[in-house]
Structures are given as structure tokens and as C-alpha cells.
Amino acid sequence: MDELYNLIAEMITYLVSITDREFFKRYNSRTLPEREQNTIRANVQELFEEETEYFCELNNKKVKERKLLEKVKILFLNCKDQGDCRCLLRLLEILDSALEQQMLWEMESMGGYTLEGGLNSNWKVLKLGIVPRYICHWERGHRGSQHYERIDNFLRNILIINYNALEDLRVINHFLPTDTFWTAEQRGSLSVADSIWRKCI
């Protein structure tokens, strides 16, 4: 999966570097959105269930197929050459959906661990990391997507950490064990307390 994560991070970095808020607004209101999907299906058939519109689940076994990775790379390069950012964003949306179960597995396997950077090993070079995105029960259904001005509003399973925007800040991701809030889940509510200690001079 490492190579796929690196490639996804590279695609996101490229798209963020050459687009602006207006692009994402236009993308959201575009007509004929099936054009991009048809292009992707024609070039990377492995992302789709046979003879359906459903995406294949990508997991360790599926991504070991070099063919899939190579096809995604070629389509990425073609999108760059043709300046087709819409097709590239749709490709990222499809990859994000196809990785839903894999992201859940990543979260479970990292429970109790700390991670700097992201799932992609090229995060220091790109200054961008991707990590599994947690879905919160209390978040609004649209997740702020009524604005549609950022790339992460189009991804549901991948969270982007843009280190260029954070400048000198260091980000450490702490993954809690999956059963951390088991009692709260059973109860249906979570109580949170906060305490701040300040040294007086």
C-alpha cells in the first residue's frame, strides 16, 4: 500500500499547487460529471466492479497488482499533461472511496500508536501527509462542504495534513485504541473535562 499512498499524496500535492477555491466551486457545479468517470474507467478498469458503477475495494492484496498502480500513475501523468484537474480530482475521489475499508483497517492497526507525518513515506519531501479520517457522530452531515472550496471536502476517508500551511509546526498523530470510548458508546454520550495549568510569574 505504501506506493499507492505515496502516489495519492503526490496527486493531492500537485492538485493543491495548481488550483484555487474557484476551481473547487466550478468542479462541484460542473455539468456532465460522468465524463471524468468514463475516462477513469477506460484507463483503470481495476478500480470498478465488473460491469457496474461500483468501485472495487482496494486492500493489500489488490494493490499488490503492479498493473493497477502503473495504470493510475499513467492516468495521473496524462491528466497533468492535459491540464485535466477535474479528471484528477475525480480519480482521487474514487481512490478515496475504494480505500474506505483499508482506512478502517489502518485506524484499527494503529490504535495506541503515535505517527508523525502520514501513511505516505514521502511526506517530508511533499510537505503533505495523508492519514485515515475519523468520522465523528456529532459532525454535521455536510462537514463544511457547503463551501466546496477545499480538496478535503471531496474526500471522506482520507485526511490531508498540509505542512506548507502549518509552517514550522510539528504534527504528531496519536491513534487511540478502538475501544477507548466503548463505555461512552454504550451509554450514548461522552463527558469531557478540560484543565489548564499556568505557571504564574
Side-chain angles (χ1 to χ4, degrees):
M1 295 301 288
D2 292 343
E3 286 185 79
L4 181 60
Y5 293 152
N6 285 348
L7 183 57
I8 288 171
E10 192 179 334
M11 288 191 283
I12 292 170
T13 303
Y14 171 75
L15 203 54
V16 167
S17 72
I18 65 161
T19 56
D20 56 16
R21 290 180 171 186
E22 289 305 313
F23 164 75
F24 295 109
K25 285 181 185 175
R26 289 193 305 272
Y27 178 83
N28 187 50
S29 60
R30 71 199 188 283
T31 56
L32 304 174
E34 62 276 358
R35 182 187 72 82
E36 293 93 20
Q37 187 121 332
N38 292 339
T39 299
I40 294 163
R41 179 188 284 280
N43 288 278
V44 194
Q45 304 90 342
E46 292 83 354
L47 287 174
F48 298 87
E49 296 285 352
E50 198 171 323
E51 297 181 15
T52 73
E53 293 297 313
Y54 299 106
F55 311 129
C56 286
E57 265 183 34
L58 297 183
N59 52 40
N60 281 308
K61 182 181 175 186
K62 184 76 176 173
V63 176
K64 281 178 186 171
E65 296 177 16
R66 300 288 320 162
K67 197 181 199 182
L68 171 69
L69 198 58
E70 288 305 315
K71 285 185 175 183
V72 172
K73 278 183 187 176
I74 290 168
L75 182 55
F76 171 40
L77 293 173
N78 287 342
C79 288
K80 281 176 76 172
D81 290 343
Q82 296 168 14
D84 194 347
C85 295
R86 289 178 10 163
C87 187
L88 184 54
L89 181 51
R90 185 63 190 138
L91 176 58
L92 284 166
E93 285 181 298
I94 291 170
L95 287 168
D96 174 76
S97 294
L99 286 168
E100 181 176 1
Q101 290 303 312
Q102 179 65 22
M103 289 297 110
L104 289 173
W105 180 85
E106 293 284 7
M107 284 190 280
E108 289 173 7
S109 67
M110 289 188 290
Y113 288 95
T114 297
L115 172 72
E116 183 180 11
L119 295 172
N120 55 310
S121 59
N122 59 357
W123 68 272
K124 283 187 178 178
V125 174
L126 298 177
K127 303 289 186 198
L128 183 135
I130 59 172
V131 293
R133 183 185 176 279
Y134 282 85
I135 295 171
C136 303
H137 292 289
W138 56 83
E139 73 183 3
R140 294 179 181 179
H142 51 67
R143 299 181 302 121
S145 58
Q146 72 273 23
H147 307 297
Y148 283 108
E149 295 173 351
R150 302 182 329 205
I151 190 170
D152 50 343
N153 283 328
F154 296 92
L155 305 176
R156 298 221 159 253
N157 304 297
I158 295 172
L159 182 68
I160 302 166
I161 303 170
N162 186 347
Y163 290 93
N164 284 316
L166 298 173
E167 296 178 354
D168 294 332
L169 293 178
R170 185 177 178 202
V171 178
I172 306 290
N173 303 290
H174 299 280
F175 292 89
L176 299 174
T178 53
D179 60 351
T180 300
F181 298 111
W182 184 85
T183 305
E185 287 178 18
Q186 301 305 308
R187 193 173 53 236
S189 64
L190 175 66
S191 300
V192 178
D194 187 18
S195 175
I196 298 175
W197 179 83
R198 291 184 182 174
K199 184 177 179 181
C200 297
I201 299 175

